[in-house]
Amino acid sequence: ELRICPPTNSQRLLVVANRLPVSATRKGDASWQLEMSVGGLVSALLGITEFETRWIGWAGVNVTDEIGKKSLTKALADKRCVPVFLDEDLVNLYYNGYCNNILWPLFHYLGLPQEDRLATTRSFQSQFDAYKKANQLFADVVSEHYIEGDVIWCHDYHLMFLPKYLKERNNKMKVGWFLHTPFPSSEIQRTLPSQSELLRAVLVADLVGFHTYDYARHFVSACTRILGLEGTPDGVEDQGKLTRVAAFPIGIDPGRFIRAIQLPQIKEHIKELEERFAGRKVMLGVDRLDMIKGIPQKILAFEKFLEENPDWHDKVVLLQIAVPTRTDVPEYQKLTCQVHEIVGRINGRFGSLTTVPIHHLDRSLDFHGLCALYAITDVALITSLRDGMNLVSYEFVACQASKKGVLILSEFAGAAQSLGAGAILVNPWNITEVASSIGYALNMPAEEREKRHHHNFVHVTSHTSQEWAETFVSELNDTIVEAQLRIRQ
Ligand code: ADQ
């Protein structure tokens, strides 16, 4: 449920992201079913409750008729959400194409798709044009709802032109932009044909934020090396105009998880799961089924561990929950088949008539089911090849107050910088290292587990999504005041 709490801060905040926190399904001419969307951005934004917030974004559905548009707008208004309508062709070129086939892999160091690099410049150009057109449509809706004094917070790689298009409409708007993915080294960024235009569009924002200092540094380097601008300790300067660039590491709403695992029905569910897996250690992976999450690499490392440790065959189980995502993109369909094939092979190899070593579910779990799984886990295994932050690692820690399980975490997730001292950090490409870390984690003495958990728990409970949002918004307000003072001087 999207919580609507009375705001404690009268500041109006327009949160603009490609997807609204709810997805809509049509049930009749004018009737809609609204469900929470799954993903890190939604999880983080739900923690923001202190501002008078409006959400602006696409509801994940193609609506072409006026009755549909009006009724959906009305249904979403109750959730303080405002829809941006994108037609099917545009979604295909802008969202499946430029966002998910070009920017997403590039920002995660997977490079540009081969076919675009070789011949089909037209397809690349049409995707880029669609990207700009979609950003214009977002700017139209934001302008319609803007009231002077509002803070506009644009989110993620889908909306890199939005700061520019908003300021072109009204230069007084306070505009911040935050990237939820990594920002790659400028050597990767410069391979993108349209990189200069994208960087310049983002630089129109007053404040540009990233999860880590490394990503912020890469962005500043891209602006200095590719655009020839000046990098300063505060950001990037272009002809006297400073764009402030800084790191704002995201967090979760830990209380939501801590409270959930105390509920009687969840305690009951935890007990059932413990009985179900009695006598076996539980390892857990929770990811969107995406190539950046390193799911095949994770399962191969688990296979290597089983190969080298026959004593553990019937004493450990890996639960891998993978929520399908971007299912109409061919690369994601191939990934699903690849994962199924490896899981089948390993279960055939190491399973028995009564047990299998891997339970793989291609679906999302409800919040309470997810909390119960986090709570019974002995070892969480997160092997992203790259990840902006990775909130699953935070959620796991929040639910482990009594069990004090071990977190194995990719060194290429942003979370490695905050939870690194408590987690076992691994290179997900190094299957041998991950396999031996699994053994180390399963055998870890209680004292070491407690110490590591304590470190992570303190971090997760003191760096919340609420604090993240407050810091970003107050920094944005300060940046604007400082800019006005500079102009007056
Ligand atoms: P994501 O790539 O979606 O987010 P992550 O940060 O781990 O990755 O968040 C995933 C969220 O979806 C979590 O809240 C998790 O509980 C939920 N989820 C995942 N699988 C699920 C399942 N099977 N069932 C139910 N819920 C599931 C992007 C970036 C991250 C960054 C976030 C926030 O890729 O690096 O941390 O945004 O900025």
Side-chain angles (χ1 to χ4, degrees):
E1 197 36 32
L2 183 57
R3 282 171 305 153
I4 311 284
C5 303
T8 52
N9 186 322
S10 60
Q11 171 85 69
R12 243 178 62 118
L13 181 63
L14 303 184
V15 172
V16 196
N18 173 63
R19 282 299 284 269
L20 287 170
V22 287
S23 299
T25 315
R26 199 160 189 171
K27 291 291 166 192
D29 266 2
S31 120
W32 294 90
Q33 181 184 324
L34 302 180
E35 262 180 301
M36 289 295 307
S37 320
V38 168
L41 193 144
V42 171
S43 305
L45 296 181
L46 287 179
I48 310 177
T49 51
E50 82 272 37
F51 299 105
E52 174 70 49
T53 305
R54 295 285 175 288
W55 315 79
I56 299 177
W58 178 51
V61 64
N62 183 25
V63 193
T64 47
D65 60 305
E66 283 313 306
I67 296 181
K69 286 184 180 174
K70 273 198 184 137
S71 55
L72 180 56
T73 305
K74 192 159 171 282
L76 288 169
D78 289 344
K79 308 269 182 205
R80 295 199 186 146
C81 291
V82 180
V84 176
F85 292 106
L86 306 173
D87 70 41
E88 218 167 341
D89 275 356
L90 194 62
V91 169
N92 209 13
L93 289 166
Y94 144 76
Y95 181 65
N96 294 335
Y98 200 76
C99 291
N100 288 338
N101 203 28
I102 295 180
L103 292 182
W104 174 265
L106 187 81
F107 283 7
H108 291 89
Y109 290 78
L110 298 174
L112 290 171
Q114 292 297 320
E115 63 269 29
D116 285 298
R117 213 176 318 176
L118 293 174
T120 55
T121 14
R122 261 193 61 225
S123 122
F124 180 89
Q125 191 59 44
S126 54
Q127 291 179 18
F128 186 51
D129 292 344
Y131 181 83
K132 290 200 269 187
K133 187 171 170 205
N135 274 245
Q136 288 280 17
L137 293 175
F138 275 85
D140 290 343
V141 178
V142 175
S143 309
E144 259 170 51
H145 288 80
Y146 173 78
I147 299 176
E148 200 174 327
D150 284 354
V151 162
I152 305 172
W153 192 0
C154 312
H155 288 266
D156 232 359
Y157 60 99
H158 313 85
L159 300 176
M160 293 175 80
F161 271 90
L162 190 55
K164 171 179 153 76
Y165 293 156
L166 288 173
K167 292 271 193 176
E168 279 172 0
R169 284 164 169 75
N170 180 348
N171 196 31
K172 280 200 191 134
M173 287 178 172
K174 301 180 196 172
V175 181
W177 179 80
F178 183 85
L179 184 65
H180 290 261
T181 70
F183 192 88
S185 142
S186 62
E187 288 304 310
I188 296 276
Q189 176 65 19
R190 68 195 301 176
T191 58
L192 180 67
S194 42
Q195 27 89 7
S196 302
E197 247 189 286
L198 274 175
L199 291 173
R200 286 205 180 273
V202 167
L203 282 173
V204 177
D206 300 292
L207 174 64
V208 172
F210 300 91
H211 283 309
T212 72
Y213 290 105
D214 282 345
Y215 306 158
R217 191 169 48 80
H218 288 319
F219 177 79
V220 173
S221 305
C223 295
T224 55
R225 291 184 187 177
I226 297 169
L227 302 179
L229 301 179
E230 199 184 329
T232 75
D234 288 333
V236 177
E237 213 169 296
D238 183 12
Q239 297 173 4
K241 193 247 176 209
L242 174 77
T243 307
R244 175 111 175 80
V245 179
F248 300 88
I250 204 167
I252 60 166
D253 175 2
R256 189 166 164 245
F257 292 85
I258 293 167
R259 284 190 301 274
I261 54 171
Q262 296 306 327
L263 295 171
Q265 72 268 34
I266 312 253
K267 283 188 168 167
E268 190 57 33
H269 188 35
I270 290 176
K271 217 170 114 213
E272 279 162 22
L273 287 170
E274 280 171 346
E275 281 164 14
R276 165 90 178 76
F277 297 112
R280 297 209 273 173
K281 293 269 187 190
V282 175
M283 298 190 56
L284 178 69
V286 176
D287 308 271
R288 281 184 308 101
L289 188 56
D290 193 300
M291 37 287 251
I292 69 145
K293 301 293 180 181
I295 298 172
Q297 287 80 354
K298 168 179 349 195
I299 299 173
L300 290 173
F302 185 61
E303 179 181 36
K304 189 162 175 56
F305 169 76
L306 293 175
E307 231 167 50
E308 291 171 351
N309 297 276
D311 290 356
W312 276 96
H313 284 188
D314 53 357
K315 296 199 188 85
V316 62
V317 61
L318 170 63
L319 312 179
Q320 175 60 47
I321 319 292
V323 60
T325 172
R326 305 170 193 170
T327 43
D328 40 4
V329 179
E331 277 72 20
Y332 286 75
Q333 294 160 358
K334 273 188 233 150
L335 177 69
T336 311
C337 295
Q338 189 193 15
V339 170
H340 288 178
E341 195 184 307
I342 310 175
V343 170
R345 177 165 57 77
I346 298 173
N347 279 345
R349 206 173 151 201
F350 297 103
S352 69
L353 283 176
T354 49
T355 57
V356 286
I358 305 178
H359 290 269
H360 174 86
L361 296 187
D362 277 344
R363 64 180 170 89
S364 100
L365 288 182
D366 64 24
F367 177 63
H368 287 165
L370 194 61
C371 291
L373 269 188
Y374 284 141
I376 62 142
T377 294
D378 295 284
V379 178
L381 190 50
I382 294 167
T383 55
S384 310
L385 306 180
R386 294 274 165 185
D387 217 332
M389 179 59 85
N390 189 284
L391 296 180
V392 167
S393 54
Y394 278 55
E395 295 170 1
F396 165 71
V397 169
C399 293
Q400 281 281 317
S402 64
K403 188 131 200 173
K404 302 181 172 44
V406 185
L407 173 65
I408 300 180
L409 178 62
S410 165
E411 62 183 279
F412 302 122
Q417 300 196 10
S418 43
L419 306 180
I424 300 179
L425 293 187
V426 291
N427 172 355
W429 297 100
N430 187 341
I431 304 281
T432 310
E433 183 197 0
V434 178
S436 68
S437 300
I438 291 174
Y440 186 76
L442 288 171
N443 290 305
M444 190 182 284
E447 201 183 321
E448 182 178 347
R449 276 196 287 115
E450 275 167 34
K451 213 163 127 193
R452 284 175 179 268
H453 168 76
H454 178 72
H455 179 279
N456 286 343
F457 194 76
V458 168
H459 185 89
V460 167
T461 47
S462 56
H463 294 79
T464 63
S465 49
Q466 183 97 331
E467 187 202 69
W468 167 71
E470 268 171 36
T471 315
F472 188 92
V473 172
S474 89
E475 184 85 25
L476 178 54
N477 282 321
D478 291 352
T479 302
I480 288 162
V481 172
E482 279 162 26
Q484 285 163 348
L485 287 176
R486 245 199 322 272
I487 291 168
R488 274 186 216 136
Q489 275 163 13

